[in-house]
Amino acid sequence: MALQFVRFAVVGGAGVLVNMAVAVALNGANGGAGNAREILFAIPWTVYNVRFTALVWVVSFLVAAVFNYQLNRVWTFRNRARPPWWSGLWRFVLVGSVAAAVGLGLKVALTHPDAAVYLAHPWFEDDQVLRSREYWAQLIAILLTLPINFLVNRYWTFARER
C-alpha cells in the first residue's frame, strides 16, 4: 500500500502540474490572477456570488481528474480490478468531486480577506504569479485533500473485487 500511495502521489503531482497549468491559462485569459475574485453571477435569493476562482477550480479539477484517472488506472493500480473505463472514471470523478468541494471551500477561505486562514500580504500578492494567493490556495487545497482521495479511490474506484 505504501508503494501505491507513493505512485498515487507522483500521479497527483503530475496532475497538480496539469491543474495549475489550466488554472494559469484560465486566469491569464481573464486578465491575470488578480481578477480571480471577479463575480461571475449572483446566487439567487442569497447575498453570495460565484466568482471566477470557482470556475477556475472546477475546470482545472475536471481536466486534471481525467489525466489522473488514466495514469492511476495504468500505473498506480495496474494490478487491481479494472472496471470499464467510463465506469471507473465516474467513480474517480465522484470521489474527486467530494475532495474538490472540500478543496473549493478551503480555497475560498484561503483567498477571502475576512477568513481566519486568509493568505495575507506581504507574503502573498494577487498580481505576482509565484506569490499569488490564488495559486497557493489552489495548491494547498489539493495537498490537504490528497490522503482521503487516495484511500477512497484505492478501496472503491480501484477495489480488487466488485
PDB file of all heavy atoms in Angstrom, residues 2-21:
ATOM      1  N   ALA A   2       2.012   1.213   0.661  1.00  0.00           N
ATOM      2  CA  ALA A   2       2.898   2.380   0.692  1.00  0.00           C
ATOM      3  C   ALA A   2       3.375   2.729  -0.717  1.00  0.00           C
ATOM      4  O   ALA A   2       3.406   3.908  -1.094  1.00  0.00           O
ATOM      5  CB  ALA A   2       4.085   2.123   1.610  1.00  0.00           C
ATOM      6  N   LEU A   3       3.738   1.706  -1.496  1.00  0.00           N
ATOM      7  CA  LEU A   3       4.176   1.949  -2.878  1.00  0.00           C
ATOM      8  C   LEU A   3       3.038   2.548  -3.697  1.00  0.00           C
ATOM      9  O   LEU A   3       3.263   3.471  -4.486  1.00  0.00           O
ATOM     10  CB  LEU A   3       4.682   0.654  -3.520  1.00  0.00           C
ATOM     11  CG  LEU A   3       5.137   0.770  -4.980  1.00  0.00           C
ATOM     12  CD1 LEU A   3       6.272   1.786  -5.109  1.00  0.00           C
ATOM     13  CD2 LEU A   3       5.572  -0.582  -5.509  1.00  0.00           C
ATOM     14  N   GLN A   4       1.826   2.045  -3.496  1.00  0.00           N
ATOM     15  CA  GLN A   4       0.683   2.612  -4.209  1.00  0.00           C
ATOM     16  C   GLN A   4       0.472   4.074  -3.829  1.00  0.00           C
ATOM     17  O   GLN A   4       0.170   4.896  -4.694  1.00  0.00           O
ATOM     18  CB  GLN A   4      -0.588   1.817  -3.929  1.00  0.00           C
ATOM     19  CG  GLN A   4      -0.689   0.560  -4.747  1.00  0.00           C
ATOM     20  CD  GLN A   4      -1.995  -0.163  -4.495  1.00  0.00           C
ATOM     21  OE1 GLN A   4      -2.648   0.029  -3.474  1.00  0.00           O
ATOM     22  NE2 GLN A   4      -2.370  -1.015  -5.434  1.00  0.00           N
ATOM     23  N   PHE A   5       0.620   4.376  -2.538  1.00  0.00           N
ATOM     24  CA  PHE A   5       0.444   5.768  -2.127  1.00  0.00           C
ATOM     25  C   PHE A   5       1.497   6.659  -2.780  1.00  0.00           C
ATOM     26  O   PHE A   5       1.189   7.762  -3.243  1.00  0.00           O
ATOM     27  CB  PHE A   5       0.488   5.921  -0.604  1.00  0.00           C
ATOM     28  CG  PHE A   5       0.281   7.350  -0.168  1.00  0.00           C
ATOM     29  CD1 PHE A   5      -0.985   7.908  -0.172  1.00  0.00           C
ATOM     30  CD2 PHE A   5       1.353   8.142   0.213  1.00  0.00           C
ATOM     31  CE1 PHE A   5      -1.184   9.240   0.209  1.00  0.00           C
ATOM     32  CE2 PHE A   5       1.165   9.460   0.596  1.00  0.00           C
ATOM     33  CZ  PHE A   5      -0.113  10.006   0.593  1.00  0.00           C
ATOM     34  N   VAL A   6       2.735   6.188  -2.846  1.00  0.00           N
ATOM     35  CA  VAL A   6       3.803   6.966  -3.490  1.00  0.00           C
ATOM     36  C   VAL A   6       3.466   7.172  -4.963  1.00  0.00           C
ATOM     37  O   VAL A   6       3.581   8.281  -5.488  1.00  0.00           O
ATOM     38  CB  VAL A   6       5.175   6.281  -3.307  1.00  0.00           C
ATOM     39  CG1 VAL A   6       6.229   6.929  -4.189  1.00  0.00           C
ATOM     40  CG2 VAL A   6       5.598   6.325  -1.845  1.00  0.00           C
ATOM     41  N   ARG A   7       3.041   6.104  -5.634  1.00  0.00           N
ATOM     42  CA  ARG A   7       2.654   6.236  -7.050  1.00  0.00           C
ATOM     43  C   ARG A   7       1.473   7.194  -7.204  1.00  0.00           C
ATOM     44  O   ARG A   7       1.452   8.013  -8.125  1.00  0.00           O
ATOM     45  CB  ARG A   7       2.306   4.872  -7.635  1.00  0.00           C
ATOM     46  CG  ARG A   7       3.514   4.016  -7.887  1.00  0.00           C
ATOM     47  CD  ARG A   7       3.107   2.714  -8.516  1.00  0.00           C
ATOM     48  NE  ARG A   7       4.293   1.927  -8.841  1.00  0.00           N
ATOM     49  CZ  ARG A   7       4.259   0.693  -9.268  1.00  0.00           C
ATOM     50  NH1 ARG A   7       3.113   0.062  -9.430  1.00  0.00           N
ATOM     51  NH2 ARG A   7       5.375   0.062  -9.543  1.00  0.00           N
ATOM     52  N   PHE A   8       0.485   7.053  -6.316  1.00  0.00           N
ATOM     53  CA  PHE A   8      -0.677   7.933  -6.350  1.00  0.00           C
ATOM     54  C   PHE A   8      -0.233   9.383  -6.170  1.00  0.00           C
ATOM     55  O   PHE A   8      -0.719  10.286  -6.853  1.00  0.00           O
ATOM     56  CB  PHE A   8      -1.665   7.526  -5.254  1.00  0.00           C
ATOM     57  CG  PHE A   8      -3.003   8.196  -5.342  1.00  0.00           C
ATOM     58  CD1 PHE A   8      -3.994   7.696  -6.176  1.00  0.00           C
ATOM     59  CD2 PHE A   8      -3.288   9.314  -4.573  1.00  0.00           C
ATOM     60  CE1 PHE A   8      -5.246   8.305  -6.243  1.00  0.00           C
ATOM     61  CE2 PHE A   8      -4.536   9.928  -4.635  1.00  0.00           C
ATOM     62  CZ  PHE A   8      -5.512   9.419  -5.477  1.00  0.00           C
ATOM     63  N   ALA A   9       0.706   9.616  -5.266  1.00  0.00           N
ATOM     64  CA  ALA A   9       1.223  10.961  -5.027  1.00  0.00           C
ATOM     65  C   ALA A   9       2.007  11.480  -6.237  1.00  0.00           C
ATOM     66  O   ALA A   9       1.913  12.664  -6.577  1.00  0.00           O
ATOM     67  CB  ALA A   9       2.082  10.991  -3.771  1.00  0.00           C
ATOM     68  N   VAL A  10       2.776  10.612  -6.892  1.00  0.00           N
ATOM     69  CA  VAL A  10       3.515  11.016  -8.094  1.00  0.00           C
ATOM     70  C   VAL A  10       2.537  11.399  -9.203  1.00  0.00           C
ATOM     71  O   VAL A  10       2.686  12.442  -9.855  1.00  0.00           O
ATOM     72  CB  VAL A  10       4.486   9.902  -8.555  1.00  0.00           C
ATOM     73  CG1 VAL A  10       5.036  10.183  -9.947  1.00  0.00           C
ATOM     74  CG2 VAL A  10       5.626   9.742  -7.549  1.00  0.00           C
ATOM     75  N   VAL A  11       1.520  10.548  -9.404  1.00  0.00           N
ATOM     76  CA  VAL A  11       0.488  10.863 -10.393  1.00  0.00           C
ATOM     77  C   VAL A  11      -0.201  12.166  -9.990  1.00  0.00           C
ATOM     78  O   VAL A  11      -0.442  13.039 -10.824  1.00  0.00           O
ATOM     79  CB  VAL A  11      -0.532   9.708 -10.522  1.00  0.00           C
ATOM     80  CG1 VAL A  11      -1.748  10.140 -11.336  1.00  0.00           C
ATOM     81  CG2 VAL A  11       0.122   8.486 -11.138  1.00  0.00           C
ATOM     82  N   GLY A  12      -0.500  12.281  -8.701  1.00  0.00           N
ATOM     83  CA  GLY A  12      -1.120  13.510  -8.210  1.00  0.00           C
ATOM     84  C   GLY A  12      -0.249  14.720  -8.453  1.00  0.00           C
ATOM     85  O   GLY A  12      -0.746  15.786  -8.802  1.00  0.00           O
ATOM     86  N   GLY A  13       1.068  14.554  -8.279  1.00  0.00           N
ATOM     87  CA  GLY A  13       1.993  15.657  -8.559  1.00  0.00           C
ATOM     88  C   GLY A  13       1.935  16.081 -10.015  1.00  0.00           C
ATOM     89  O   GLY A  13       1.901  17.281 -10.326  1.00  0.00           O
ATOM     90  N   ALA A  14       1.904  15.091 -10.901  1.00  0.00           N
ATOM     91  CA  ALA A  14       1.759  15.407 -12.329  1.00  0.00           C
ATOM     92  C   ALA A  14       0.404  16.063 -12.577  1.00  0.00           C
ATOM     93  O   ALA A  14       0.292  17.013 -13.359  1.00  0.00           O
ATOM     94  CB  ALA A  14       1.914  14.135 -13.164  1.00  0.00           C
ATOM     95  N   GLY A  15      -0.610  15.553 -11.885  1.00  0.00           N
ATOM     96  CA  GLY A  15      -1.941  16.141 -12.002  1.00  0.00           C
ATOM     97  C   GLY A  15      -1.993  17.568 -11.482  1.00  0.00           C
ATOM     98  O   GLY A  15      -2.719  18.413 -12.017  1.00  0.00           O
ATOM     99  N   VAL A  16      -1.224  17.852 -10.439  1.00  0.00           N
ATOM    100  CA  VAL A  16      -1.151  19.221  -9.915  1.00  0.00           C
ATOM    101  C   VAL A  16      -0.564  20.143 -10.989  1.00  0.00           C
ATOM    102  O   VAL A  16      -1.047  21.261 -11.189  1.00  0.00           O
ATOM    103  CB  VAL A  16      -0.318  19.292  -8.618  1.00  0.00           C
ATOM    104  CG1 VAL A  16       0.021  20.725  -8.251  1.00  0.00           C
ATOM    105  CG2 VAL A  16      -1.061  18.615  -7.478  1.00  0.00           C
ATOM    106  N   LEU A  17       0.449  19.658 -11.692  1.00  0.00           N
ATOM    107  CA  LEU A  17       1.025  20.467 -12.778  1.00  0.00           C
ATOM    108  C   LEU A  17      -0.020  20.740 -13.852  1.00  0.00           C
ATOM    109  O   LEU A  17      -0.129  21.873 -14.350  1.00  0.00           O
ATOM    110  CB  LEU A  17       2.251  19.774 -13.371  1.00  0.00           C
ATOM    111  CG  LEU A  17       3.454  19.628 -12.443  1.00  0.00           C
ATOM    112  CD1 LEU A  17       4.576  18.846 -13.139  1.00  0.00           C
ATOM    113  CD2 LEU A  17       3.955  20.987 -11.979  1.00  0.00           C
ATOM    114  N   VAL A  18      -0.789  19.712 -14.210  1.00  0.00           N
ATOM    115  CA  VAL A  18      -1.870  19.888 -15.200  1.00  0.00           C
ATOM    116  C   VAL A  18      -2.899  20.877 -14.640  1.00  0.00           C
ATOM    117  O   VAL A  18      -3.305  21.815 -15.328  1.00  0.00           O
ATOM    118  CB  VAL A  18      -2.528  18.529 -15.538  1.00  0.00           C
ATOM    119  CG1 VAL A  18      -3.805  18.716 -16.352  1.00  0.00           C
ATOM    120  CG2 VAL A  18      -1.542  17.633 -16.281  1.00  0.00           C
ATOM    121  N   ASN A  19      -3.313  20.654 -13.401  1.00  0.00           N
ATOM    122  CA  ASN A  19      -4.298  21.515 -12.748  1.00  0.00           C
ATOM    123  C   ASN A  19      -3.830  22.964 -12.739  1.00  0.00           C
ATOM    124  O   ASN A  19      -4.578  23.878 -13.103  1.00  0.00           O
ATOM    125  CB  ASN A  19      -4.535  20.995 -11.325  1.00  0.00           C
ATOM    126  CG  ASN A  19      -5.614  21.739 -10.581  1.00  0.00           C
ATOM    127  OD1 ASN A  19      -5.515  22.934 -10.353  1.00  0.00           O
ATOM    128  ND2 ASN A  19      -6.649  21.026 -10.167  1.00  0.00           N
ATOM    129  N   MET A  20      -2.590  23.176 -12.319  1.00  0.00           N
ATOM    130  CA  MET A  20      -2.072  24.539 -12.220  1.00  0.00           C
ATOM    131  C   MET A  20      -1.900  25.180 -13.600  1.00  0.00           C
ATOM    132  O   MET A  20      -2.122  26.382 -13.759  1.00  0.00           O
ATOM    133  CB  MET A  20      -0.763  24.549 -11.433  1.00  0.00           C
ATOM    134  CG  MET A  20      -0.911  24.125  -9.976  1.00  0.00           C
ATOM    135  SD  MET A  20      -2.126  25.064  -9.022  1.00  0.00           S
ATOM    136  CE  MET A  20      -1.301  26.639  -8.898  1.00  0.00           C
ATOM    137  N   ALA A  21      -1.508  24.376 -14.593  1.00  0.00           N
ATOM    138  CA  ALA A  21      -1.374  24.916 -15.955  1.00  0.00           C
ATOM    139  C   ALA A  21      -2.728  25.399 -16.473  1.00  0.00           C
ATOM    140  O   ALA A  21      -2.824  26.472 -17.082  1.00  0.00           O
ATOM    141  CB  ALA A  21      -0.788  23.854 -16.888  1.00  0.00           C
TER     142      ALA A  21
END
